[in-house]
Amino acid sequence: MIRKELTLDVGLHARPAAVFVKEARRYDSDIRLEKNGGDRVNGKSIMGILTLAAGPGSIIYLEVDGPDEEECFAALEDLLLNGLKDEDR
């Protein structure tokens, strides 16, 4: 299992969340997101991600556990930190 705290530059509203879910579903690993020590949500569920209400500057935890966790974590971390800026409209 890999777990890391990340600070979002871009919030996870509908469009960025959809991009994240599309990428997350490419992997077999379980993916969880958590904000402010609250409930962990399924990273492959757009509804779950939207319930986080993770706006710009939010601190979240990304947790990945499974057979392709290293590849999955690297891709999703990069997406959260660098790849969602074009989706923030």
Side-chain angles (χ1 to χ4, degrees), residues 25 40 61 66-67 73 81 87:
R25 289 181 177 168
R40 292 177 21 210
Y61 289 90
F73 188 89
L81 296 178
E87 305 303 324

Side-chain angles (χ1 to χ4, degrees), residues 32-49:
R32 301 280 179 223
L33 295 171
E34 176 186 319
K35 178 183 162 203
N36 296 334
D39 292 334
R40 292 177 21 210
V41 300
N42 183 344
K44 296 180 183 181
S45 165
I46 192 162
M47 293 305 291
I49 292 173

Side-chain angles (χ1 to χ4, degrees), residues 22-35:
K22 183 177 180 182
E23 180 68 15
R25 289 181 177 168
R26 295 181 53 230
Y27 300 96
D28 292 326
S29 292
D30 291 327
I31 300 161
R32 301 280 179 223
L33 295 171
E34 176 186 319
K35 178 183 162 203

